[in-house]
Amino acid sequence: MRTIDWIPADDAEREPGRGFIRLVDQTLLPDSLVELDIHDLDVLVDAIQRLAVRGAPALGVAGALGVALAAQNLPADRARQAIAELREARPTAVNLAYGVDTALAALEQGGPPAALDAALRVRDADIAACVAMAERGTDALARLVPDRPALTVLTICNTGALAAVEHGTALGVVAKLHRDGRLVRAIACETRPLLQGARLTAWELGRMGASYDVIVDSAAAITLARGGIDAVLVGADRIAANGDTANKIGTFAVALAAARAGVPFLVVAPETTIDRDTPNGDAIEIEDRGGAEVRFFHGVRVTPPDATALNPAFDVTPADLITAIVTDTRVIDVAAGDTPAGDTRA
């Protein structure tokens, strides 16, 4: 199954390059597996903003394919405006901007066919990157936890195939541990307020046949403190040049608890998630999704009618709480002072 892909149109032989985007509507999981066919860019922007498609790598592919879709269907001036709106649909996720910018540069050089070729390269590169991250991640865990042939790991949010195209980032590492017979159990934080862990990660773990438990986010600290967790694996939506990392809200708290418990904390994300133009976590824009997601769940109000709510979608984990950052090309030893920019922190 691919979370997102480009589907050639029936008349693609007559008009090469024509097609549409097909993606899994993640808002309907785990109850229903439904794919959406996206023919209009405004529908894609809506799908991104309501989290029908989400996850940093998948958003990068969505951005690139969205440029190809706009170039195919819209006049040049309207396409440029629509592409700018697409780029800003989720401001914290740097992969979205990367995907848009990559396909847009190709569009400006070679027109719509070049934009589609570039978008498909972004898709294929994501698939390859996830395979490489799984290899590097499992190798890193073998070095960090050498006395445990099989591991119990804790994760937050959803970083599996649903967050990418096929394999996933942090959950891709978990999947490889499971395939290799090196996974004892996965502990999935529910990930409030939209339960990406309870709904999506649990669904993926069940499909792969892995043993797992779901815990409420506030149980992560005591779960780590009691022992039995060998490593924490998380994804990232943006990694600053100094190693500070933005990820789903709640990640910072898990990192604090892991540091207290002496448990390795690994960030798994492709190189494209590293933003060298962002010097540190203070410069990362944190998206607030509005209070309704906190005040209501599945249309049912769970607070007093006049309650207000804050709803930051992400938090920033400082680099000094991160053991290592695993990308598709390298393992950055953050605990030793290395940074994504290639220098050593003072």
Side-chain angles (χ1 to χ4, degrees):
M1 182 190 71
R2 286 187 171 179
T3 299
I4 183 169
D5 207 354
W6 180 265
I7 307 300
D10 291 339
D11 60 352
E13 288 189 8
R14 253 190 350 265
E15 297 184 69
R18 294 196 65 82
F20 57 91
I21 298 169
R22 177 169 291 162
L23 56 86
V24 173
D25 187 344
Q26 298 183 41
T27 66
L28 302 179
L29 289 169
D31 297 323
S32 300
L33 178 58
V34 176
E35 291 180 313
L36 300 177
D37 290 346
I38 308 291
H39 297 268
D40 300 305
L41 202 63
D42 56 347
V43 178
L44 177 62
V45 170
D46 176 69
I48 291 170
Q49 291 179 335
R50 66 184 182 84
L51 307 187
V53 59
R54 43 146 299 281
L59 288 176
V61 176
L65 293 178
V67 172
L69 191 68
Q72 168 188 281
N73 294 336
L74 297 172
D77 56 343
R78 174 64 186 121
R80 182 167 293 278
Q81 178 185 348
I83 290 168
E85 294 170 358
L86 170 65
R87 192 180 191 277
E88 298 302 318
R90 295 291 306 280
T92 304
V94 70
N95 292 69
L96 176 60
Y98 165 79
V100 169
D101 293 347
T102 299
L104 182 58
L107 174 63
E108 292 174 342
Q109 290 291 319
L116 178 58
D117 287 345
L120 296 179
R121 286 196 298 272
V122 170
R123 178 201 64 189
D124 294 345
D126 173 75
I127 296 170
C130 288
V131 172
M133 283 184 284
E135 293 282 351
R136 293 181 187 278
T138 51
D139 288 347
L141 287 170
R143 293 193 300 272
L144 288 166
V145 196
D147 57 334
R148 296 293 298 242
L151 306 176
T152 296
V153 299
L154 184 145
T155 189
I156 188 169
C157 199
N158 172 260
T159 55
L162 291 170
V165 178
E166 288 185 356
H167 301 289
T169 58
L171 200 63
V173 176
V174 177
K176 188 171 191 309
L177 287 173
H178 174 63
R179 291 195 301 272
D180 294 347
R182 294 175 55 197
L183 180 69
V184 176
R185 201 164 192 84
I187 309 299
C189 292
E190 63 176 352
T191 320
R192 283 281 291 147
L194 295 180
L195 304 183
Q196 289 99 323
R199 293 189 303 107
L200 307 180
T201 297
W203 183 77
E204 290 200 58
L205 288 166
R207 281 170 65 94
M208 71 176 73
S211 298
Y212 72 91
D213 292 301
V214 175
I215 60 171
V216 299
D217 294 351
S218 51
I222 189 63
T223 302
L224 285 159
R226 284 175 170 170
I229 302 297
D230 299 302
V232 175
L233 297 168
V234 304
D237 286 83
R238 187 182 298 253
I239 300 173
N242 74 332
D244 293 349
T245 298
N247 194 48
K248 181 66 182 176
I249 191 71
T251 304
F252 181 24
V254 173
L256 287 167
R260 173 77 179 193
V263 174
F265 184 95
L266 277 68
V267 175
V268 185
E271 280 284 332
T272 52
T273 305
I274 297 172
D275 183 4
R276 290 170 176 80
D277 294 330
T278 298
N280 54 53
D282 292 339
I284 298 176
E285 179 182 355
I286 299 298
E287 173 189 356
D288 191 296
R289 294 185 54 81
E293 289 179 352
V294 177
R295 295 172 52 243
F296 291 82
F297 188 75
H298 274 269
V300 177
R301 181 170 50 78
V302 294
T303 66
D306 58 349
T308 59
L310 302 175
N311 186 19
F314 305 95
D315 56 27
V316 175
T317 299
D320 60 16
L321 294 176
I322 297 170
T323 306
I325 297 172
V326 178
T327 80
D328 48 307
T329 64
R330 54 185 172 149
V331 176
I332 304 164
D333 189 353
V334 185
D338 295 341
T339 72
D343 55 1
T344 301
R345 296 195 310 276

